[in-house]
Amino acid sequence: MIFETPVVYAVGNTYQIMFYLNVDAYASVTIGTQTFDDAVCGNMRSLPGMRRITVPMETLDTAKAYSLRIERIEARLKYRTRSLGVETYRFEFHPVPKDDARAYMIGDAHGDLDGAVSAAQAYGSFDFLIVNGDIGETADETQALSAYRLAVMLTGGTKPVIYARGNHENRGAAAELLPDFIPLRDGCTYYTFRLGSVWGIVLDCGEDKEDDHVEYGGSARFHDFRLRETAYLQTVIADAQKEFRAPGVAHRLCVVHADFPFVQEPLFDTERALYQVWCDLLGEMGVELMAMAHTHRYCYALPGDPALRLKTPCPALIGTCKNETTVGGTGLLFGKSGVEYRFTANEAWMSESFMQCKGEPS
Ligand SMILES: [Fe+2]
């Protein structure tokens, strides 16, 4: 195959359509009568590798389909580049419905992509996918592509995907390449999104220990990264009317890999003051649920629960599971009266449903 199936990532009010090209080729996305080229400063890209074409969310939501146009290049020359012809591939697209949207959150697969797919299948159909980190590590390009490939397996380019980076996706020589393979907002891994009536914010804690821990070998600069992220959260609040207070927003969700509000072992008990600021800012946004991963367990804590080390503005959910035989995730239903969720796992197991009602104390 000259390319791998696209993933449609939701970032802000855009979709970033990303796909991996195995050949030298120009690429464009066509939606209705509009064409969006993969060009940089006026030059079409032609080298193999991951591509990202950003399109307006409203345009794709309306058209409900897009086409990938790939023009293979025999030789890119200074004059008269030689083409091998154009191929076009059409993909249906299903925008998230305004009412009763269903999401599936998976994370912590740690390389077991088939197990992660089985866990999602145990929940059944869903309208958008949340890939919540630690799908692989980043020792090389193949590992760094794990989250993308899992999203391909679960959506086939036909549904929106949210991605939050996990701490293990900072480990190894390809960590610095990962940003080329994942959705970004202005080069950053933290961003907001809007799907149907769900507004969300994706956070990134980076690594889970102090930057100078010997394990990182001098590679980590996450304290400064988190400071910039704090500043970004403040800009989101300043832009409330276009973000969490925009017309039609009925649900406000925070997605983050690390379970930072929860009590931590001493080695991981970092950044308390900064993370408390994050919780306070999420409270100003009216976030109703924090959906997390990282510690491979199913857990749900209301504000004030002794399992928490921080004062949270809303319930905190850890919804991914991983052990020697099990990969698990969480299905989320965004209903009129609140968010209903169920834990599922690759043994075709599904928990009873739990309800986070609107107006629950926070
Ligand atoms: Fe993790």
Side-chain angles (χ1 to χ4, degrees):
M1 193 67 171
I2 62 173
F3 72 101
E4 296 185 40
T5 301
V7 172
V8 181
Y9 292 106
V11 177
N13 59 1
T14 69
Y15 291 121
Q16 296 183 9
I17 301 176
M18 299 185 70
F19 48 96
Y20 194 90
L21 269 179
N22 293 310
V23 296
D24 288 39
Y26 299 146
S28 306
V29 164
T30 302
I31 305 173
T33 57
Q34 295 188 63
T35 296
F36 304 87
D37 294 318
D38 183 20
V40 54
C41 300
N43 282 304
M44 289 294 281
R45 295 181 193 273
S46 60
L47 293 173
M50 186 64 92
R51 302 299 189 86
R52 179 198 318 265
I53 297 180
T54 301
V55 305
M57 201 171 253
E58 189 177 358
T59 302
L60 184 51
D61 283 350
T62 302
K64 298 183 175 60
Y66 61 98
S67 293
L68 199 56
R69 180 188 187 277
I70 296 176
E71 182 174 1
R72 293 190 65 180
I73 301 299
E74 182 183 15
R76 184 156 184 165
L77 306 173
K78 284 193 287 185
Y79 302 100
R80 296 177 190 256
T81 288
R82 290 199 297 271
S83 168
L84 292 170
V86 172
E87 297 174 37
T88 302
Y89 302 85
R90 184 178 184 279
F91 296 87
E92 290 187 1
F93 183 74
H94 305 285
V96 173
K98 287 190 168 50
D99 299 323
D100 297 326
R102 285 166 61 92
Y104 190 75
M105 179 176 78
I106 188 72
D108 294 310
H110 291 284
D112 187 355
L113 304 193
D114 291 335
V117 169
S118 297
Q121 287 170 341
Y123 184 57
S125 66
F126 54 86
D127 300 301
F128 68 98
L129 176 69
I130 300 170
V131 178
N132 200 350
D134 282 8
I135 305 305
E137 306 218 356
T138 47
D140 53 31
E141 183 180 278
T142 299
Q143 287 190 3
L145 287 166
S146 298
Y148 160 74
R149 289 187 170 135
L150 176 61
V152 168
M153 292 163 78
L154 283 170
T155 66
T158 67
K159 300 173 185 179
V161 178
I162 303 299
Y163 171 76
R165 185 174 65 167
N167 57 306
H168 278 261
E169 285 146 348
N170 298 303
R171 306 241 173 127
E176 63 192 273
L177 305 179
L178 185 75
D180 290 338
F181 305 155
I182 60 175
L184 300 171
R185 177 202 54 81
D186 295 337
C188 296
T189 51
Y190 40 88
Y191 57 94
T192 62
F193 65 88
R194 174 73 187 273
L195 292 170
S197 64
V198 180
W199 176 88
I201 185 160
V202 173
L203 299 181
D204 184 352
C205 293
E207 271 295 359
D208 58 0
K209 299 178 278 297
E210 296 285 3
D211 283 349
D212 61 359
H213 191 274
V214 64
E215 199 172 79
Y216 306 142
S219 66
R221 297 291 186 279
F222 290 107
H223 177 68
D224 288 346
F225 173 84
R226 295 181 199 108
L227 290 175
R228 292 193 293 277
E229 194 164 344
T230 305
Y232 170 67
L233 292 178
Q234 290 161 339
T235 69
V236 170
I237 290 170
D239 213 13
Q241 301 303 327
K242 291 181 180 171
E243 296 278 1
F244 50 91
R245 291 203 187 108
V249 171
H251 297 282
R252 298 175 180 92
L253 175 70
C254 171
V255 176
V256 56
H257 175 76
D259 59 340
F260 68 87
F262 283 81
V263 171
Q264 304 287 326
E265 296 289 329
L267 179 62
F268 308 105
D269 193 4
T270 63
E271 297 278 29
R272 272 194 189 215
L274 183 146
Y275 285 147
Q276 185 57 61
V277 171
W278 286 16
C279 286
D280 296 345
L281 293 171
L282 292 174
E284 289 187 46
M285 296 174 201
V287 165
E288 67 188 295
L289 183 67
M290 299 172 74
M292 291 168 286
H294 185 50
T295 43
H296 303 184
R297 56 185 170 141
Y298 303 124
C299 181
Y300 182 73
L302 294 173
D305 191 299
L308 298 167
R309 64 171 174 157
L310 302 178
K311 186 174 183 297
T312 54
C314 63
L317 167 76
I318 302 172
T320 66
C321 180
K322 179 76 169 76
N323 57 37
E324 284 185 6
T325 59
T326 304
V327 180
T330 302
L332 299 155
L333 169 62
F334 295 91
K336 279 195 171 62
S337 54
V339 185
E340 180 191 282
Y341 61 94
R342 289 169 176 263
F343 304 122
T344 79
N346 59 328
E347 305 97 345
W349 168 83
M350 182 155 62
S351 75
E352 62 181 306
S353 72
F354 302 89
M355 191 73 187
Q356 164 53 36
C357 295
K358 287 196 167 181
E360 203 161 300
S362 62

